[in-house]
Amino acid sequence: MDLETAYLVFGIAFGCIWSLGILLSPASLGERTRASLIMFCSSFWLVGAATFLSGLVKTYPILYGIHIPFALGIAPILYIHFQITLLGLEVSKKEILLHFLPNLLCVILLLPFWFGGEEFRLRTLQEIAQGRYYSSVLVFLQITPKISILSYFLPLLWIYRSYFFRSEQDENEERARRMFLIFICLVCFVIFWGLTGSILRRIEFVKESIFSLPVLLVIGFLLSQREPNWLGFVGKSLREVRYKKSRLKGMDESKIKDRLEALMKREKVYADEDLTLSQLAEELGLTNHQLSEFLNQRLSMKFSDYINSWRVEEAKVLLLEDPDRSILAISESVGFNSKSAFNEAFKKFADSTPSEFRKTAVSYKASLKF
């Protein structure tokens, strides 16, 4: 193994270890899963680079392009992570599917290469330099992850540019914003450099971009350790920009709150496990963005947390009123579609598990009899 390949293997190992470490963090399951996937996909991107630079792909042509669907998923996963974790928004399954359609298309286009036989794969790779037919499709697929990342990141930087440089009384908040901006700019520059090299066929540019990726992983890790709350500060800025021009202007927010509470208390709409932001917004006569803004800015809660808080309160009542009823039956009756989701939400809003809550309550009641 030469030095260049060993360096990339180090980057792959570092990214995978960081990915596993994220899964063990105290964050919510969804947040951990998304962040871990981003690190894993980034590491897998380096796998493709290592097989290419080491010449392994010539010996085993089937390895060509195996990293592309994963690398193409980095930007959409990060975007969805931003939407949910930093902006506190709900992302529908339909919207998620739309973001990953390019990945599906990529796999479909690669299937003929992977299943076309060894002779076909070797001939196709030999034709890449000539830009013939199917080989030109493979060349384009190689640069799609770079195009995807720039397409997601550059508009983000443009929209929030002014907020990252404004002065704050809190020095930690100001420093976190600037570190975030510099890091994202650095990522964009590295990706753009590699894209330029691919378009101009400057292999040295491509290699410089590839060798910068492990460095970016290490920098990202060090920043996350130095400023563990930096995403919280950045999220605050993003929400301020998003809601700078309020969509609730001119509306009676007290009436919205009263109607919302009525839907929860009297109609118990939270008991519908399939309840979505869109459905609740329609009940209130609001748009999705208006309801999202109201929950985030006025109640300081995401849609899922708001609904789950009501579900947990109802579950508390049922746990006390009907001690013989199973916890699973109660979780389903208040709108949870799995016991694990119920336990996670209950612990978040009640600081205990449902069984611990019931046991403590029963013991307390018993002590009052004597």
Side-chain angles (χ1 to χ4, degrees):
M1 184 185 297
D2 59 34
L3 186 60
E4 291 183 348
T5 306
Y7 169 70
L8 293 178
V9 169
F10 160 76
I12 294 167
F14 183 87
C16 288
I17 293 171
W18 188 9
S19 175
L20 292 174
I22 291 172
L23 287 176
L24 301 176
S25 68
S28 67
L29 178 61
E31 186 175 344
R32 279 181 285 150
T33 302
R34 290 188 299 273
S36 180
L37 277 175
I38 292 168
M39 290 303 106
F40 176 77
C41 289
S42 300
S43 301
F44 214 86
W45 196 359
L46 286 173
V47 170
T51 58
F52 169 70
L53 293 179
S54 65
L56 194 62
V57 73
K58 295 179 181 179
T59 308
Y60 303 100
I62 198 169
L63 294 176
Y64 184 90
I66 198 170
H67 65 287
I68 299 176
F70 294 92
L72 199 54
I74 295 173
I77 295 173
L78 191 57
Y79 172 80
I80 292 168
H81 189 60
F82 268 45
Q83 293 288 98
I84 297 174
T85 304
L86 298 187
L87 295 179
L89 300 176
E90 295 294 317
V91 182
S92 67
K93 292 180 181 178
K94 182 179 180 181
E95 186 178 352
I96 291 175
L97 179 61
L98 289 174
H99 281 291
F100 287 98
L101 279 179
N103 300 69
L104 179 60
L105 180 60
C106 175
V107 171
I108 292 172
L109 292 173
L110 283 167
L111 286 177
F113 179 80
W114 290 333
F115 293 97
E118 191 72 10
E119 184 180 343
F120 172 76
R121 288 192 287 269
L122 287 171
R123 186 174 67 251
T124 303
L125 291 181
Q126 289 170 357
E127 293 175 348
I128 282 181
Q130 302 168 14
R132 290 184 181 179
Y133 311 113
Y134 182 61
S135 61
S136 62
V137 174
L138 296 183
V139 171
F140 176 74
L141 289 178
Q142 285 285 1
I143 66 172
T144 52
K146 300 182 180 72
I147 295 173
S148 174
I149 290 175
L150 293 176
S151 298
Y152 277 91
F153 276 31
L154 292 179
L156 177 74
L157 288 174
W158 176 258
I159 292 171
Y160 302 117
R161 64 194 185 283
S162 62
Y163 274 73
F164 291 116
F165 285 104
R166 72 180 187 183
S167 299
E168 296 287 345
Q169 292 182 348
D170 188 336
E171 292 183 2
N172 290 331
E173 183 173 344
E174 185 176 340
R175 183 174 62 251
R177 278 204 189 99
R178 293 180 178 176
M179 286 169 57
F180 177 80
L181 176 66
I182 293 170
F183 181 70
I184 295 298
C185 286
L186 189 59
V187 170
C188 288
F189 175 77
V190 168
I191 298 301
F192 178 77
W193 192 252
L195 179 61
T196 302
S198 298
I199 294 174
L200 300 179
R201 297 187 179 184
R202 297 287 297 273
I203 188 63
E204 66 272 19
F205 287 9
V206 176
K207 290 179 70 173
E208 288 165 0
S209 176
I210 290 172
F211 293 143
S212 297
L213 293 178
V215 177
L216 289 177
L217 285 176
V218 173
I219 292 174
F221 175 77
L222 293 176
L223 289 177
S224 68
Q225 299 305 302
R226 176 182 171 84
E227 296 287 348
N229 296 319
W230 72 324
L231 287 183
F233 295 137
V234 172
K236 177 184 174 184
S237 296
L238 300 186
R239 289 190 293 272
E240 286 177 0
V241 176
R242 183 176 179 86
Y243 298 130
K244 188 177 181 181
K245 296 182 178 179
S246 175
R247 296 177 175 88
L248 297 172
K249 190 175 182 179
M251 292 186 173
D252 190 332
E253 294 183 21
S254 62
K255 286 185 177 180
I256 295 175
K257 185 177 181 181
D258 292 342
R259 175 58 179 155
L260 188 57
E261 290 185 355
L263 287 172
M264 298 297 139
K265 289 180 180 178
R266 294 199 292 269
E267 301 183 32
K268 297 186 177 182
V269 296
Y270 54 78
D272 179 5
E273 66 177 39
D274 297 318
L275 181 67
T276 64
L277 178 72
S278 300
Q279 291 172 335
L280 186 57
E282 187 176 349
E283 287 282 346
L284 294 165
L286 302 173
T287 66
N288 292 3
H289 293 302
Q290 286 172 333
L291 177 56
S292 182
E293 177 180 346
F294 181 81
L295 293 174
N296 280 277
Q297 295 295 96
R298 308 309 188 263
L299 302 184
S300 300
M301 298 183 81
K302 296 190 297 184
F303 169 75
S304 57
D305 285 343
Y306 180 75
I307 297 301
N308 284 343
S309 67
W310 282 94
R311 288 171 174 169
V312 169
E313 289 303 313
E314 176 69 6
K316 286 181 182 178
V317 175
L318 296 177
L319 285 167
L320 297 179
E321 289 183 349
D322 195 352
D324 296 325
R325 192 175 180 185
S326 72
I327 290 177
L328 178 60
I330 290 175
S331 71
E332 291 174 345
S333 69
V334 298
F336 288 99
N337 54 19
S338 72
K339 190 174 180 180
S340 59
F342 176 51
N343 287 334
E344 185 179 351
F346 201 95
K347 196 163 187 179
K348 180 175 183 177
F349 294 104
D351 294 324
S352 69
T353 64
S355 56
E356 289 171 349
F357 176 83
R358 173 178 268 175
K359 184 177 180 180
T360 303
V362 170
S363 300
Y364 177 71
K365 281 186 175 181
S367 67
L368 293 177
K369 295 179 182 180
F370 299 96

